[in-house]
Amino acid sequence: MTEAAHTIADVERDTGLSKDTLRVWERRYGFPLPLRDAQGERRYDGDQLLRLRHIRRLLDAGHRPGRVVPLPLAQLLALDTPARPQRMQGAAKKSAEAPVPASAAGPDLSHWMDLLRTQRSQPLHQALQQWLLVHGLASLVRDVVAPLNRRVGQAWLDGELAVFEEHLYTELVQRLLRTGLSQVAAASALRPPRVLLTTVPGEVHTLGLLMAECMLVLEGCETTSLGAQTPLRDIAEAARAGGADVVALGFSALLKPRDARHALEQLLPQLPPAVQLWTGGQCPALQTGPRGAVPLPGHTHMAELDQIAPAVARWRTEHTTGVAA
């Protein structure tokens, strides 16, 4: 057993599971089983944190708490494993379909993950910066950052990366993307749609939002980013004041599905009628399919970055021909 170093607040931030949920599971299912410190506060070890990450993932996939919470890690992994090959095959197919210059070598993702695990941030930054210089911003986002995000996320989920290493990766990539973004924007003649980007209260993750902004600017869009956790009323007011054509919101898989849908239901009536609402990310509340949620009318969800360019093209066609959005 690893050291019981995590407070209940740490676990809530890490997994997105509320303190109340953790306490209820403790009483109802006998898991988690935290120790108590000298002040009587709950303390969770790394093994329990790892199990809770996988439990949260399975809950988001549609499993019931009563089925998965009591299971040991090996059985949780067995439940999760069937979905992994399908995700990897989908990623491989996208990579194979993407045009790659004949002279270009593929990104050395395994080596770059090793650099991250050993906290060698300078060589990692230099490697990613070199890729940006040689292949451009679109390739950095699509061919490097997107697959690296999946590897980092899986390594974090499996307990192979510490939280500080994931934060190191996020900070490094965000800094590089902002550099590339500013360079492209300065060299481009930007035109509508004007897109306002942010996240709703409770959603602290912004890397996916920044990646989306890069793809929007590469399509020549005007963008304004408000960063994370903008109050809903302020999102609507910023859209009106800035003349936004589109509000784009990023959602991670860690935001509670109920909170995501509630935020959209509250925001949609506040937006000006002409403003479109686009959402992106892997939040289960926005997914469709056998285990996905019922689509929420009034907004367009894009689970993949490749959906951004067609959405921009549709908006421009509609507004060029005078068809209502």
Side-chain angles (χ1 to χ4, degrees), residues 21 43 50 55 61 73 112 149 204 213 216 242 279 288 301 318:
T21 295
R43 291 283 176 169
L50 184 58
I55 288 169
L73 180 60
W112 295 346
N149 284 354
V204 299
E213 185 176 9
L216 286 164
T279 61
T288 58
H301 180 64
E318 291 169 357

Side-chain angles (χ1 to χ4, degrees), residues 247-259:
V247 169
L249 303 177
F251 291 90
S252 72
L254 289 178
L255 186 66
K256 296 176 185 176
R258 180 179 64 251
D259 292 345

Side-chain angles (χ1 to χ4, degrees), residues 4-17 19 22 42-44 49 52-53 156 163:
H6 306 286
T7 67
I8 193 169
D10 294 335
V11 174
E12 182 180 45
R13 283 192 298 269
D14 189 292
T15 65
L17 298 167
K19 299 184 182 86
L22 293 169
R42 289 172 172 83
R43 291 283 176 169
Y44 302 80
L49 181 59
L52 288 166
R53 288 175 182 171
W156 170 82
V163 172

